[in-house]
């Protein structure tokens, strides 16, 4: 008759791993004391490995898993990432161990939302043409810019059309090209920031 050398539990009354009962056996699993991520309270983006990225459960799970180290064969995370169920194979037997994770998403504001709320823009997209086409393209630009991680900070209705103030010149140009639109381009100096000249680019688009 064998007893757990640590707590005295008798073999057969519970699961044993080697000489120890499952509660006393020390699985070598290392979990960080804290698993913290910054999350933008406006757009739900998450800062992962120093970079802001669109919220995705998969990306967060991958990150959490990458922080868990040790002698386990697989791990299943709780949907809120506050717990992990490790599967360890020991002596041909599968043992499951549940651990709590000190996971939290800390509210923050991502740089894009910060710029957006400050009315920041780099480019003006001047949509000109029939109203129906203007609204269609205003919607398209808004959606496509957001997918690129930037934004429209302002829309100005004019009698000749609609002006969209966009957070990124590079993304704006990429979208215009993807949509196959013809455009005119003009650049103006908008000021200086830390000794660097700031330019604003206007794209005039006939729809
Ligand atoms: Zn024990
Ligand atoms: Zn954001």
């Amino acid at each position: 008759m064998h007893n757990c050398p640590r707590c005295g539990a008798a073999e057969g009354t519970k699961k044993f791993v080697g000489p120890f009962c499952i509660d006393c056996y020390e699985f070598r699993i290392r979990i960080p004391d804290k698993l913290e991520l910054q999350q933008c309270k406006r757009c739900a983006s998450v800062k992962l490995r120093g970079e802001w990225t669109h919220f995705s459960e998969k990306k967060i799970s991958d990150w959490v898993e990458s922080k868990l180290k040790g002698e386990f064969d697989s791990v299943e995370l709780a949907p809120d990432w506050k717990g992990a169920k490790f599967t360890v194979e020991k002596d041909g037997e599968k043992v499951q161990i549940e651990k709590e994770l000190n996971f939290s998403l800390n509210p923050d504001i991502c740089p894009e939302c910060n710029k957006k709320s400050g009315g920041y823009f780099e480019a003006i997209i001047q949509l000109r043409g029939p109203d129906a086409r203007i609204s269609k393209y205003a919607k398209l630009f808004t959606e496509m810019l957001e997918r690129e991680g930037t934004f429209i900070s302002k829309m100005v209705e004019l009698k000749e059309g609609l002006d969209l103030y966009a957070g990124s010149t590079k993304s704006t140009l990429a979208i215009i090209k993807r949509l196959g639109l013809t455009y005119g381009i003009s650049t103006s100096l908008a000021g200086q920031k830390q000794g660097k000249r700031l330019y604003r680019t206007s794209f005039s688009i006939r729809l």
Side-chain angles (χ1 to χ4, degrees), residues 54 116 125 135-152 155 164 166 171 175 178-179:
H54 280 307
K116 186 178 178 179
I125 308 164
S135 359
K136 179 184 155 195
Y137 278 94
K139 196 162 166 264
L140 262 178
F141 271 105
T142 308
E143 288 168 1
M144 291 173 88
L145 284 165
E146 266 166 27
R147 231 171 294 142
E148 297 253 328
T150 178
F151 52 83
I152 297 282
M155 283 196 194
L164 308 177
S171 301
I175 291 167
R178 217 177 307 151
L179 292 171

Side-chain angles (χ1 to χ4, degrees), residues 51-77:
E51 239 178 84
W52 286 92
T53 164
H54 280 307
F55 177 84
S56 132
E57 289 184 357
K58 166 98 174 50
K59 283 188 217 158
I60 295 179
S61 296
D62 288 349
W63 179 81
V64 171
E65 274 189 39
S66 77
K67 299 289 174 192
L68 308 173
K69 304 270 156 69
E71 51 161 359
F72 57 88
D73 297 288
S74 62
V75 61
E76 201 183 303
L77 300 174

Side-chain angles (χ1 to χ4, degrees), residues 179-198:
L179 292 171
L181 298 168
T182 40
Y183 62 96
I185 189 166
S186 65
T187 304
S188 61
L189 189 62
Q192 287 206 356
K193 197 181 180 187
Q194 286 145 2
K196 235 178 92 186
R197 289 171 158 217
L198 287 181

Side-chain angles (χ1 to χ4, degrees), residues 40-45 109-114:
C40 178
K41 52 190 174 190
R42 300 239 164 94
C43 69
S45 288
I109 298 238
C110 76
E112 285 309 312
C113 287
N114 194 24

